[in-house]
Amino acid sequence: MTVPVLLGARVTLRPMTLDDLPLLMKWGSDPAFRRYQWGQKPGKFEGSSARAWIERMSRPGDSACWIIEHERRPIGFANYRDFHPKGRSAEIGIGIGEPDLWGKHLGRDALEALLRYLFDELGLHRVGLSVVGFNDRAISMYKAVGFEVEGIERDGVGTEDGYIDDVKMGIVKGRPRPDFDPRPVTLEGDFVRLTPLRMEHAQALFEAADEDDIWRWMVPRPKGLEGYERYIRWALDQQILGAQLPFAVIRKSDGVLVGTTRYAHIDPPNRSLEIGYTLYGKGARRTPVNTECKLLLLTHAFKRLRLIRVEFKTDALNEKSRNALTRIGAVQEGIFRKHLICESGRIRDTAYFSILDTEWPEKKQALEGKLSAV
């Protein structure tokens, strides 16, 4: 079978040959690429390994590989492999080997071109892939194209330092995407910008949030920078599963990260979620930050995600938080008694609040009024 040239909107995929060995060796030796593509430490991708890789990905009837070009510049590769005629399925891989082009949506363009070929020309029914568990940008990109997380193979990839999780994803031709499918997004107002929380935010979050006043009501408290890295990693693991969607809160006046918040307990069948895990450093409290954050999150939830309910909860003893929720228009529904066991051993009662879709137009107007008065 002849491997064809594939065209995307901004990229071209041309068949890879052994003449491309130097490119593959270069990309495979880049430390960032090695980490996010294969979960490997810095090292060299030697010629023999690169040759074996191309030969493995160039078996007629089973696999094929391409070089991705942007403006005639080779920037990465794409492939399919493990073709199963009976199940009409295959696995794919894709990598942008030039880190300066990450985040430019070129990988997504190449992926969409590859999928068109696999589904429309080869007649596949299912396409699967695997991605290391900490490659959050890639996972978000695959979800945006239509892949769904099918499971996480714990410690599925062996590395020089131990084992890492392997996320299994798949896309089935003709299968409709979920109507309710929250994905990472940037939300921007006049005072703050909410961006997807990333591991690289750990140092800034540590500097903003490592205060006794914050963690008096939130548990467990992260310990040192490593603790904040684990805090973010857990949130991102929940994002992979579709249970949470965490944001970094960036103050627009100076570009400083001043806190974090997230969608949590995402409940697709019932079109509801919680806004929680919210914390701000001292420089952001008693400013328009919280009001605008809630306005942005609630507007996205009700307008774009078409929710019918957004809930909030807080320690029943946290009067400041309860008052803040009342100020944004949330309605207290009741107290869950003996709801959580705190790190100190105290058994916490939790106050539940909510805003409904039918209430949102009035609440939105009130929030906008508060911000306009600043």
Side-chain angles (χ1 to χ4, degrees), residues 242-281:
Q244 297 188 2
L245 202 59
F247 297 88
V249 180
I250 309 297
R251 185 169 53 207
K252 291 184 65 175
S253 61
D254 55 11
V256 171
L257 185 151
V258 295
T260 183
T261 189
R262 72 184 72 162
Y263 290 144
H265 298 104
I266 297 172
D267 186 356
N270 296 304
R271 305 196 73 84
S272 70
L273 54 72
E274 174 192 353
I275 293 176
Y277 295 86
T278 302
L279 57 90
Y280 308 112

Side-chain angles (χ1 to χ4, degrees), residues 74 89 100 122 126 151 254:
S89 68
D100 64 303
L122 295 191
R126 181 188 186 280
D254 55 11

Side-chain angles (χ1 to χ4, degrees), residues 89 115 205 301 334:
S89 68
L115 289 175
L205 186 61

Side-chain angles (χ1 to χ4, degrees), residues 353-366:
F353 293 75
S354 71
I355 294 176
L356 307 181
D357 58 340
T358 51
E359 303 167 339
W360 174 236
E362 181 181 351
K363 309 291 187 183
K364 181 174 184 286
Q365 188 175 16

